[in-house]
């Protein structure tokens, strides 16, 4: 089933180092992805984003470029594959990626629009909503309402127009691309596999002009469910959170 995906890799022209690393990673995983040039800060200067009332966070130049890169790709897609797969160029895959991916594709509720391959959401306060996820009754698959980070996800091709329209409508209230998914989580049906199957490596960021240590920060903030490298660390979702909350 994982072969029914049209994969794309978003990568800045200037980041040849990331591209070379991803070529090797994707070859090892067995994914053929089409490289799509990421929007630059200069190109995204006029791309309009906003924020919610009373939210002090404002769209940064980097957030605009990120949103524009993903949004433009999805808006322009005209292929016939059942799913579109989007990867950013700092992706880190688990050891049993295809096994988890096939399980997710086979067992996700039929109403899914987007499947996230990471699991970055809060299980305890502070959360975006009263509950940022709910169990689906299927082991290791949860429905998410407050998932952030968009470095690896699938969009059902038949849902593309719905997803693009919802994201576009949220731009005036979204200071970042992942915030748009959070705001539209009652419109776009979003699910993920727990624990996550794709993480992000620590790498130099052209946006922050520093080394982003996202994996370490988000694991500390959310918990170990965001990613498990090894198959032996994959527990049934309910057991995973029971053990997590008992620590």
């Amino acid at each position: 089933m994982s072969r029914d995906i049209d994969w794309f890799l978003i990568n800045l022209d200037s980041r040849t180092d990331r591209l070379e690393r991803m070529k090797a990673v994707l070859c090892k995983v067995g994914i053929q992805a089409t490289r799509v040039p990421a929007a630059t800060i200069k190109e995204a200067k006029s791309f309009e984003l906003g924020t919610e009332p009373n939210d002090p966070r404002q769209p940064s130049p980097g957030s605009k470029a990120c949103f524009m890169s993903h949004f433009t790709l999805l808006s322009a897609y005209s292929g016939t594959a059942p799913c579109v797969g989007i990867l950013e160029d700092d992706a880190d895959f688990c050891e049993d990626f295809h096994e988890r991916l096939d399980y997710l594709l086979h067992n996700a509720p039929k109403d899914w629009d987007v499947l996230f391959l990471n699991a970055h959401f809060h299980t305890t306060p502070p959360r975006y909503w009263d509950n940022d996820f709910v169990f689906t009754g299927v082991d290791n698959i949860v429905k998410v309402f407050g998932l952030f980070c968009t470095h690896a996800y699938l969009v059902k091709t038949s849902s593309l127009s719905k997803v693009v329209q919802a994201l576009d409508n949220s731009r005036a209230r979204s200071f970042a691309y992942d915030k748009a998914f959070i705001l539209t989580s009652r419109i776009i049906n979003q699910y993920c596999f727990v624990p996550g199957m794709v993480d992000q490596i620590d790498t130099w960021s052209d946006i922050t002009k520093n080394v982003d240590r996202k994996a370490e920060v988000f694991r500390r903030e959310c918990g170990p469910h965001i990613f498990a490298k090894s198959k032996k660390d994959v527990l049934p979702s309910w057991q995973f959170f029971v053990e997590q909350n008992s620590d």
Side-chain angles (χ1 to χ4, degrees):
M1 295 185 68
S2 58
R3 296 175 181 173
D4 297 330
I5 302 170
D6 203 352
W7 290 101
F8 293 90
L9 172 66
I10 297 175
N11 167 251
L12 276 168
D13 288 339
S14 61
R15 293 307 301 266
T16 56
D17 57 325
R18 288 193 179 194
L19 179 59
E20 291 307 309
R21 174 190 164 270
M22 283 302 298
K23 285 180 178 179
V25 168
L26 295 177
C27 180
K28 183 178 180 180
V29 177
I31 289 177
Q32 291 185 333
T34 301
R35 178 188 173 274
V36 175
T40 64
I41 288 175
K42 182 178 180 180
E43 290 169 337
K45 187 175 182 179
S46 61
F47 189 78
E48 294 185 1
L49 292 181
T51 191
E52 292 185 284
N54 303 318
D55 190 336
R57 294 170 293 184
Q58 295 297 316
S60 69
S63 294
K64 285 180 151 187
C66 176
F67 201 129
M68 181 177 175
S69 299
H70 287 260
F71 185 76
T72 302
L73 194 166
L74 292 179
S75 299
Y77 183 75
S78 59
T80 58
C83 307
V84 181
I86 311 295
L87 298 170
E88 293 183 350
D89 59 7
D90 57 353
D92 180 30
F93 293 79
C94 66
E95 296 170 352
D96 55 327
F97 173 73
H98 285 288
E99 184 176 339
R100 294 191 213 181
L101 180 58
D102 283 345
Y103 177 89
L104 178 60
L105 286 167
H106 183 74
N107 293 286
K110 302 303 182 185
D111 69 346
W112 75 268
D113 299 309
V114 173
L115 298 178
F116 286 102
L117 308 184
N118 60 309
H120 292 58
F121 58 85
H122 297 93
T123 61
T124 58
R127 292 185 288 253
Y128 288 102
W129 311 107
D130 290 338
N131 288 297
D132 282 357
F133 80 101
V134 294
F135 294 108
T136 62
V138 179
D139 278 346
N140 302 103
I141 297 178
V142 299
K143 188 170 187 178
V144 288
F145 306 98
L147 187 144
F148 58 96
C149 291
T150 53
H151 53 273
Y153 60 99
L154 307 179
V155 179
K156 187 186 292 181
T157 304
S158 60
S159 299
L160 260 177
S161 59
K162 170 186 175 181
V163 171
V164 168
Q165 186 64 57
L167 294 175
D168 193 30
N169 290 342
S170 76
R171 282 170 53 186
R173 299 182 295 132
S174 303
F175 65 87
Y177 187 56
D178 49 5
K179 183 62 183 293
F181 277 104
I182 292 169
L183 291 175
T184 59
S185 59
R186 265 55 179 189
I187 301 171
I188 301 172
N189 294 313
Q190 308 169 32
Y191 298 88
C192 77
F193 183 96
V194 174
M197 64 184 84
V198 183
D199 203 1
Q200 293 172 288
I201 63 166
D202 295 340
T203 184
W204 176 266
S205 170
D206 292 273
I207 296 173
T208 64
K209 303 301 181 185
N210 207 337
V211 175
D212 275 348
R213 303 191 183 281
K214 295 177 181 177
E216 175 185 341
V217 171
F218 292 146
R219 183 173 294 271
R220 185 170 61 247
E221 181 179 328
C222 297
H225 66 273
I226 67 171
F227 177 68
K229 188 76 170 179
S230 174
K231 182 178 179 178
K232 66 180 178 59
D233 295 323
V234 177
L235 303 171
S237 46
W238 65 269
Q239 184 180 349
F240 197 94
F241 292 120
V242 166
E243 294 199 2
Q244 179 178 324
N245 292 332
S246 66
D247 289 344

